[in-house]
Amino acid sequence: MTTWLENAWYVAAWDSEVDSTPLARTICGVPMMMYRKLDRAVVAMRDACPHRMLPLSMGLREGDSIRCKYHGLKLGPDGVAQEMPLTGERVNTRICAETFVTHERHRFVWVWIGDKDKADPALIPDLWPCSANGWTFDGGYYHVACDYRLMIDNLMDLTHETYVHSGSIGQPEILEAPLECKTEGDTVYLWRWMPAIEAPPFWRGALKQDCPVDRWQICQFLLPSSVMIDVGVAPVGAGATLENHDQGVRGMVVDFMTPESETTHHYFWGMARNFDVDDAGFTARFKAQQGGVFAEDKEILEAQQNAIQANPDLKLNAYSIDQGGVRARKIIEKAIRRQQEANR
Amino acid sequence: MTTWLENAWYVAAWDSEVDSTPLARTICGVPMMMYRKLDRAVVAMRDACPHRMLPLSMGLREGDSIRCKYHGLKLGPDGVAQEMPLTGERVNTRICAETFVTHERHRFVWVWIGDKDKADPALIPDLWPCSANGWTFDGGYYHVACDYRLMIDNLMDLTHETYVHSGSIGQPEILEAPLECKTEGDTVYLWRWMPAIEAPPFWRGALKQDCPVDRWQICQFLLPSSVMIDVGVAPVGAGATLENHDQGVRGMVVDFMTPESETTHHYFWGMARNFDVDDAGFTARFKAQQGGVFAEDKEILEAQQNAIQANPDLKLNAYSIDQGGVRARKIIEKAIRRQQEANR
Amino acid sequence: MTTWLENAWYVAAWDSEVDSTPLARTICGVPMMMYRKLDRAVVAMRDACPHRMLPLSMGLREGDSIRCKYHGLKLGPDGVAQEMPLTGERVNTRICAETFVTHERHRFVWVWIGDKDKADPALIPDLWPCSANGWTFDGGYYHVACDYRLMIDNLMDLTHETYVHSGSIGQPEILEAPLECKTEGDTVYLWRWMPAIEAPPFWRGALKQDCPVDRWQICQFLLPSSVMIDVGVAPVGAGATLENHDQGVRGMVVDFMTPESETTHHYFWGMARNFDVDDAGFTARFKAQQGGVFAEDKEILEAQQNAIQANPDLKLNAYSIDQGGVRARKIIEKAIRRQQEANR
């Protein structure tokens, strides 16, 4: 039994990370390699030649196929052996590499982990701000040496900013609004609504006017492993509500945590926004700043993972500030249990 | 079952190593962190926040308390939660970090491993030369990647000096006197008495006269894990005896081996002396020289530990020169067994 | 049960690697150290002092004996304790280090793994080109982090050259001749006979004439773990046959794979030749080139070993090009089983 849900889509890479040269990455415990065919579609294949198991990511691309670097076994994008050079024998087409269903959406390459027949792109988590009209989206990648759920805990909790990010975005005064939390189906919401406050410098600049604002921070956890944080401000009186707040400027911190192993994960982070969308300089500066903030989280989370392993007699405790992560973990756990029962 | 005795005091640090900034160190398998309060008393606490387990050694000091770097949980020096900022809830004071009883004596910070109620400072091993009037004491620290008992074996055996320390203190001619050994309760003595010999250069310099001397080397093992080696010379006829030999110049090599894990330990070594006590230059030179000698031991002992693990079919054998270490190990083993029986 | 055969000779070192200073090397899971006596005979001994297990390879040579660096226990070349200095006791000669039977042949130091009584030098694999009159032999050593059988697979397969060595010796055109394979007792032969072809540059230079040639590549696996590859050309009409082909120029790639652990081995490789035998420059250039080629194999094989461990649900498959390795593995397996049955 794994700590992650199967029969689900996981982000395997940024779309820009995958090209004709194979990219090796272990997803949910499975070594994979990915490359683009001539039509740009993404192939994901077990990163082991079905012949002698050399990583196929060391191989050479030929058209849409990959040729193993060891004996030259050529596999099609469907993983089926096409050619074994120099043997004088017909290639055995039953020898093939496992492939994985992929789909591109929201600037990410998604891979389906589980039963292929169930791989429906409609099940991809709706990270809509990454590809909505009038929005722009960019971000980065970190390999983080901790259980992916520790990152979910981190993102579903806005309190830690004061301490972890004291040198960057931590601002105790903006965190005084009460936290609210609710679960809707398999989605958890955690939010703060800060009505009629003075806009902090970042948002004042984005709004391009100096007036009292309503401000919000809304974290949303989605199965199997993503968190979107809706942040922004709107002028007081513009009619922004918790449900509907496109009256001002709005950003979405989008995070996807893909398990690599029980104690490591791939962290895809980004920021979508509906203002200054054509300002590439803003994007670059913002990305550099966000990268720095998430590097602070990475340091904390890896130390936390080490401490968990060094103190096997202790366990994580939760306060009310942790309710977002606690609810998200429960939803993951329940979904895993549902699936196990369905498989019996 | 551990290889070390519980309900005992272990050296956790030199007094000078602990200050207001937390020091992380794993003692007898338990990750701890230590810091001094404003009154200079030493706090020792499990190095994991009771909330989300981030090492408290990454935290920030506030008065006598420590504030976790992750969510700002503030713990008093008693480990009890004092404040969880920004939550709007009363902090749950039942959430607390384990603390450990500490005591300072003989220039060391001692920590009690085991049942707190039994932590009696009177049980601290009597390393009297480290804090006696008319004596001066200084030393150093090594992390050594071997079972702490291999270091006890090493110190309870003066024969290895010839080979391990051939480049420094090894002098075969001074090791020809017969070895004697006895056990008194939980203490092992191992000694050489060398009557009416010529003083070697070091001791002649210390004695500040050139005359025949009586010379001694007396190793003493004390539970749970220390060795003192009484060394020195006195002019022939001054009346020095095995029991009483303050007639000349005398030094005490003081060593404490604190288990970190089954295969690593903290090695605290020093030299106390009752001559040239105000000569700081002598102390510095001597400390540098001793540090070099113990670095030779560290190299040997880590190679020995590796060989023990690489040759699981072999076991340690003992000659009569090893009787000091053999007896010390038996005393440790017996004390552990006594404790286990008492706990039944 | 090990993956290697016991009661067999393994190459422990090149003859030039062993001298008066001990060389430490783990052979078939056993830490050993080797040195030469004054008469140049090679001693192989468990690399752990029978007293306190310090590696004897850290010790000091005295005559034909080794003195442990820790307490000075002196062991004869038979592993028996000869002297324990400064103890005043007679040394216990029952305390001794395990020794291993060694033999020098074909420029290698061989060690017998298994029952000493069965150690018959006549059982050393006949790597005759390494020491035949009219031939010269030289080579090198690599530590390779893979199961020794993966290297046997590699050497018993000439197909991989095209892909692994595309930058050096890989030449697809010379690999088009059909492969043949046979097993004779415990020996596997795999060969290509290429009659009446144009000699490639290397062999034309060696032959010192430009004429059509018959060309051969004959791989031979010998228990417990060696492969010889007979390569060369002879002028057409000179009468060269598969069995008898000394009419032209001939080289022998000689390889011995000695297991270190289940996933690492010592790789001894070399090239013997019967042409330009006194041309030291040729030898040096050829050795450098071969070393480069085998470094390419090492990279592939270590990646293969990692993939085997990262994909525990997969297994190696075999095509007809792998028949050499498949047969060699079967012979090893059968010999191990024979031995187990004999030991019952």
Side-chain angles (χ1 to χ4, degrees):
Chain A
M1 187 193 138
T2 61
T3 55
W4 53 79
L5 186 64
E6 303 227 324
N7 291 323
W9 293 100
Y10 285 88
V11 172
W14 280 91
D15 56 5
S16 57
E17 286 184 291
V18 183
D19 207 336
S20 56
T21 298
L23 170 73
R25 190 162 280 167
T26 294
I27 306 292
C28 296
V30 180
M32 294 185 192
M33 67 96 182
M34 290 167 278
Y35 65 85
R36 286 188 187 276
K37 295 195 292 183
L38 298 174
D39 67 3
R40 308 296 296 157
V42 176
V43 173
M45 209 178 276
R46 181 73 78 105
D47 196 16
C49 178
H51 176 214
R52 305 301 287 176
M53 288 172 73
L54 190 75
L56 288 166
S57 54
M58 294 173 79
L60 302 165
R61 288 293 311 285
E62 285 189 20
D64 281 352
S65 302
I66 183 92
R67 195 181 284 283
C68 178
K69 172 83 181 152
Y70 200 166
H71 300 88
L73 185 70
K74 185 175 156 188
L75 302 167
D78 55 359
V80 177
Q82 293 176 326
E83 193 187 308
M84 169 56 94
L86 310 172
T87 66
E89 69 187 311
R90 278 249 299 279
V91 73
N92 179 350
T93 55
R94 278 171 311 173
I95 288 184
C96 53
E98 186 180 8
T99 56
F100 301 88
V101 183
T102 65
H103 198 86
E104 282 191 76
R105 188 173 291 168
H106 307 319
R107 298 274 317 278
F108 293 121
V109 174
W110 299 80
V111 68
W112 178 259
I113 296 299
D115 184 351
K116 274 186 186 188
D117 297 338
K118 299 181 178 159
D120 178 358
L123 299 172
I124 288 176
D126 186 14
L127 311 183
W128 62 267
C130 309
S131 50
N133 281 332
W135 289 68
T136 186
F137 177 55
D138 205 356
Y141 165 82
Y142 279 114
H143 182 268
V144 185
C146 79
D147 185 328
Y148 79 107
R149 296 171 300 179
L150 295 179
M151 185 63 91
I152 296 176
D153 294 343
N154 175 284
L155 291 162
M156 291 298 285
D157 143 37
L158 296 167
T159 312
H160 74 273
E161 292 183 6
T162 313
Y163 298 97
V164 176
H165 308 305
S166 57
S168 54
I169 60 168
Q171 288 168 297
E173 63 279 19
I174 69 163
L175 295 173
E176 280 160 17
L179 268 179
E180 296 187 79
C181 193
K182 71 173 175 188
T183 302
E184 274 184 7
D186 284 344
T187 302
V188 181
Y189 295 90
L190 180 86
W191 71 92
R192 284 200 184 89
W193 187 263
M194 297 160 269
I197 63 164
E198 191 188 348
F202 174 83
W203 287 116
R204 195 161 55 222
L207 193 61
K208 292 180 184 62
Q209 49 174 300
D210 192 0
C211 60
V213 295
D214 295 329
R215 186 175 174 200
W216 60 89
Q217 292 180 314
I218 309 163
C219 302
Q220 181 184 6
F221 166 79
L222 292 161
L223 272 181
S225 185
S226 61
V227 172
M228 290 199 293
I229 310 178
D230 183 342
V231 288
V233 300
V236 167
T241 64
L242 186 64
E243 290 73 29
N244 196 319
H245 39 263
D246 269 322
Q247 292 81 352
V249 285
R250 194 173 166 201
M252 275 283 198
V253 181
V254 175
D255 305 278
F256 202 98
M257 283 61 68
T258 299
E260 181 188 54
S261 69
E262 301 284 327
T263 55
T264 57
H265 75 277
H266 306 288
Y267 177 40
F268 301 93
W269 57 266
M271 169 80 167
R273 67 180 192 275
N274 70 358
F275 55 92
D276 296 328
V277 294
D278 298 320
D279 184 345
F282 182 96
T283 300
R285 285 191 304 277
F286 193 73
K287 204 170 135 177
Q289 188 248 336
Q290 284 272 106
V293 167
F294 290 135
E296 290 171 342
D297 287 310
K298 176 176 155 76
E299 187 195 346
I300 290 290
L301 293 174
E302 295 184 342
Q304 189 188 11
Q305 180 71 46
N306 286 342
I308 287 170
Q309 287 167 254
N311 294 278
D313 56 328
L314 300 185
K315 63 177 191 31
L316 297 173
N317 277 308
Y319 283 109
S320 69
I321 55 164
D322 304 303
Q323 60 187 304
V326 167
R327 286 176 189 231
R329 282 174 177 253
K330 266 192 198 140
I331 284 168
I332 294 170
E333 225 173 277
K334 260 192 215 166
I336 292 174
R337 220 175 309 127
R338 266 201 311 267
Q339 215 161 70
Q340 289 174 322
E341 276 156 23
N343 289 344
R344 253 180 227 157
Chain B
M1 187 192 140
T2 61
T3 55
W4 54 78
L5 186 64
E6 303 226 325
N7 290 323
W9 291 99
Y10 285 89
V11 171
W14 280 90
D15 55 6
S16 56
E17 288 184 288
V18 183
D19 208 335
S20 55
T21 300
L23 170 73
R25 190 162 278 166
T26 294
I27 306 292
C28 295
V30 180
M32 293 184 192
M33 67 96 181
M34 291 167 277
Y35 64 85
R36 287 189 187 276
K37 296 194 292 183
L38 298 175
D39 67 2
R40 308 295 297 155
V42 176
V43 172
M45 210 178 275
R46 181 73 79 104
D47 195 16
C49 178
H51 176 214
R52 305 301 286 175
M53 287 173 72
L54 190 76
L56 288 167
S57 55
M58 297 173 78
L60 302 165
R61 287 293 311 285
E62 286 188 19
D64 283 350
S65 302
I66 184 92
R67 193 181 284 282
C68 178
K69 172 83 181 153
Y70 200 165
H71 299 88
L73 184 69
K74 184 174 157 190
L75 302 168
D78 55 358
V80 177
Q82 292 176 326
E83 193 187 308
M84 169 58 95
L86 312 170
T87 64
E89 70 188 308
R90 276 250 298 278
V91 72
N92 178 350
T93 53
R94 278 171 313 174
I95 288 184
C96 55
E98 185 180 9
T99 56
F100 301 88
V101 182
T102 66
H103 199 86
E104 282 191 78
R105 187 174 293 170
H106 305 321
R107 297 276 318 277
F108 293 123
V109 174
W110 300 80
V111 66
W112 178 259
I113 297 298
D115 184 349
K116 273 186 186 186
D117 297 339
K118 297 180 180 162
D120 178 358
L123 299 171
I124 289 176
D126 186 14
L127 311 183
W128 61 268
C130 309
S131 49
N133 280 333
W135 289 68
T136 186
F137 177 55
D138 206 357
Y141 164 82
Y142 279 113
H143 180 269
V144 185
C146 78
D147 185 328
Y148 79 106
R149 295 171 302 179
L150 295 179
M151 184 63 92
I152 296 176
D153 294 344
N154 175 282
L155 291 162
M156 289 300 284
D157 142 39
L158 296 167
T159 312
H160 76 273
E161 291 184 5
T162 312
Y163 298 97
V164 176
H165 308 305
S166 58
S168 53
I169 61 168
Q171 288 168 295
E173 62 279 20
I174 69 162
L175 297 173
E176 279 158 18
L179 268 180
E180 298 187 77
C181 193
K182 69 173 177 187
T183 303
E184 275 184 5
D186 285 344
T187 301
V188 181
Y189 295 90
L190 180 86
W191 71 94
R192 282 199 185 90
W193 187 262
M194 295 160 270
I197 63 165
E198 192 189 347
F202 174 84
W203 287 117
R204 198 162 53 225
L207 193 61
K208 294 178 183 61
Q209 50 174 301
D210 192 0
C211 61
V213 295
D214 295 328
R215 186 175 175 200
W216 61 90
Q217 293 180 313
I218 308 163
C219 302
Q220 181 184 7
F221 167 78
L222 293 160
L223 272 180
S225 184
S226 61
V227 172
M228 289 199 293
I229 310 178
D230 183 341
V231 288
V233 299
V236 167
T241 64
L242 187 64
E243 291 72 31
N244 196 317
H245 40 263
D246 270 322
Q247 293 80 353
V249 285
R250 197 174 165 198
M252 276 284 198
V253 181
V254 175
D255 305 278
F256 201 99
M257 283 62 69
T258 299
E260 182 189 52
S261 70
E262 300 285 325
T263 55
T264 56
H265 75 278
H266 306 288
Y267 178 38
F268 301 93
W269 57 266
M271 169 79 165
R273 67 180 192 277
N274 71 358
F275 56 92
D276 296 328
V277 295
D278 298 321
D279 184 345
F282 182 98
T283 300
R285 284 192 304 277
F286 193 74
K287 206 171 136 177
Q289 189 249 338
Q290 284 272 106
V293 167
F294 290 136
E296 290 171 342
D297 287 310
K298 175 176 156 74
E299 187 194 346
I300 290 290
L301 293 174
E302 295 184 343
Q304 188 188 11
Q305 179 72 46
N306 286 341
I308 287 170
Q309 286 166 254
N311 294 277
D313 57 329
L314 301 184
K315 61 175 192 30
L316 297 173
N317 276 307
Y319 283 109
S320 70
I321 55 162
D322 305 302
Q323 60 186 305
V326 167
R327 288 176 189 230
R329 281 174 179 255
K330 268 192 197 141
I331 283 168
I332 294 170
E333 226 174 277
K334 259 192 218 168
I336 293 173
R337 218 173 312 127
R338 264 202 313 267
Q339 214 162 70
Q340 288 176 321
E341 277 157 22
N343 289 344
R344 253 181 224 156
Chain C
M1 186 192 140
T2 61
T3 56
W4 53 79
L5 186 63
E6 304 228 324
N7 290 322
W9 291 100
Y10 286 88
V11 172
W14 280 90
D15 56 4
S16 57
E17 287 183 290
V18 183
D19 208 336
S20 55
T21 299
L23 171 73
R25 190 163 279 168
T26 294
I27 307 293
C28 295
V30 180
M32 292 184 194
M33 67 96 181
M34 290 167 279
Y35 64 84
R36 287 189 187 276
K37 295 195 293 183
L38 298 175
D39 66 5
R40 307 296 295 157
V42 175
V43 172
M45 210 178 275
R46 181 71 79 102
D47 196 16
C49 177
H51 177 215
R52 305 302 287 176
M53 289 174 71
L54 190 76
L56 288 167
S57 55
M58 296 173 79
L60 303 165
R61 287 294 310 286
E62 286 190 18
D64 283 350
S65 303
I66 184 89
R67 194 182 284 283
C68 177
K69 173 82 179 153
Y70 200 166
H71 300 88
L73 185 70
K74 185 174 158 189
L75 303 168
D78 55 358
V80 177
Q82 292 176 327
E83 195 186 308
M84 169 56 96
L86 312 171
T87 65
E89 70 188 308
R90 278 249 299 277
V91 72
N92 178 350
T93 54
R94 279 172 311 174
I95 289 184
C96 54
E98 186 180 9
T99 57
F100 301 89
V101 182
T102 66
H103 199 86
E104 282 190 78
R105 188 173 291 170
H106 307 320
R107 298 276 317 278
F108 292 123
V109 174
W110 300 81
V111 68
W112 178 259
I113 296 299
D115 184 350
K116 273 185 186 186
D117 296 339
K118 298 178 180 161
D120 178 359
L123 299 171
I124 289 176
D126 186 14
L127 312 182
W128 61 267
C130 308
S131 49
N133 280 332
W135 289 67
T136 187
F137 177 56
D138 205 356
Y141 165 83
Y142 279 114
H143 181 268
V144 185
C146 79
D147 185 329
Y148 78 107
R149 296 171 302 179
L150 295 179
M151 184 62 91
I152 295 176
D153 295 344
N154 175 283
L155 291 162
M156 291 299 285
D157 143 38
L158 296 167
T159 312
H160 75 272
E161 291 183 7
T162 312
Y163 298 97
V164 176
H165 308 305
S166 57
S168 53
I169 60 168
Q171 288 169 295
E173 64 279 19
I174 68 163
L175 296 174
E176 280 159 17
L179 267 181
E180 297 188 77
C181 192
K182 70 173 177 186
T183 304
E184 275 185 6
D186 284 345
T187 301
V188 181
Y189 295 91
L190 181 86
W191 70 94
R192 280 198 187 93
W193 187 262
M194 296 159 270
I197 63 164
E198 192 188 348
F202 174 82
W203 287 116
R204 197 162 53 226
L207 195 59
K208 294 180 184 59
Q209 49 174 302
D210 192 358
C211 61
V213 296
D214 297 328
R215 186 175 175 199
W216 61 88
Q217 293 181 312
I218 309 163
C219 303
Q220 180 183 6
F221 166 77
L222 293 161
L223 272 180
S225 184
S226 60
V227 172
M228 289 198 295
I229 310 178
D230 183 342
V231 289
V233 301
V236 167
T241 65
L242 187 62
E243 291 73 31
N244 196 319
H245 40 262
D246 270 322
Q247 293 80 352
V249 285
R250 194 173 168 203
M252 276 283 200
V253 181
V254 175
D255 305 278
F256 202 98
M257 284 59 72
T258 300
E260 182 188 54
S261 69
E262 300 285 326
T263 55
T264 57
H265 75 276
H266 307 287
Y267 178 39
F268 302 93
W269 57 267
M271 169 80 165
R273 67 181 193 275
N274 70 358
F275 56 93
D276 297 328
V277 296
D278 298 322
D279 186 344
F282 182 98
T283 301
R285 284 191 305 277
F286 194 74
K287 205 171 134 178
Q289 189 248 337
Q290 284 273 105
V293 168
F294 290 136
E296 289 170 344
D297 287 310
K298 176 177 154 74
E299 187 193 347
I300 290 291
L301 294 173
E302 295 184 342
Q304 189 189 11
Q305 179 70 48
N306 286 342
I308 288 170
Q309 287 167 254
N311 295 277
D313 56 330
L314 301 184
K315 63 176 189 33
L316 298 173
N317 277 307
Y319 284 109
S320 69
I321 54 162
D322 304 303
Q323 59 188 305
V326 167
R327 286 176 190 231
R329 281 173 179 256
K330 267 192 197 140
I331 284 168
I332 294 170
E333 226 174 275
K334 259 193 217 167
I336 293 174
R337 221 176 308 126
R338 265 201 312 268
Q339 215 162 70
Q340 289 176 321
E341 277 156 22
N343 290 344
R344 254 179 224 157

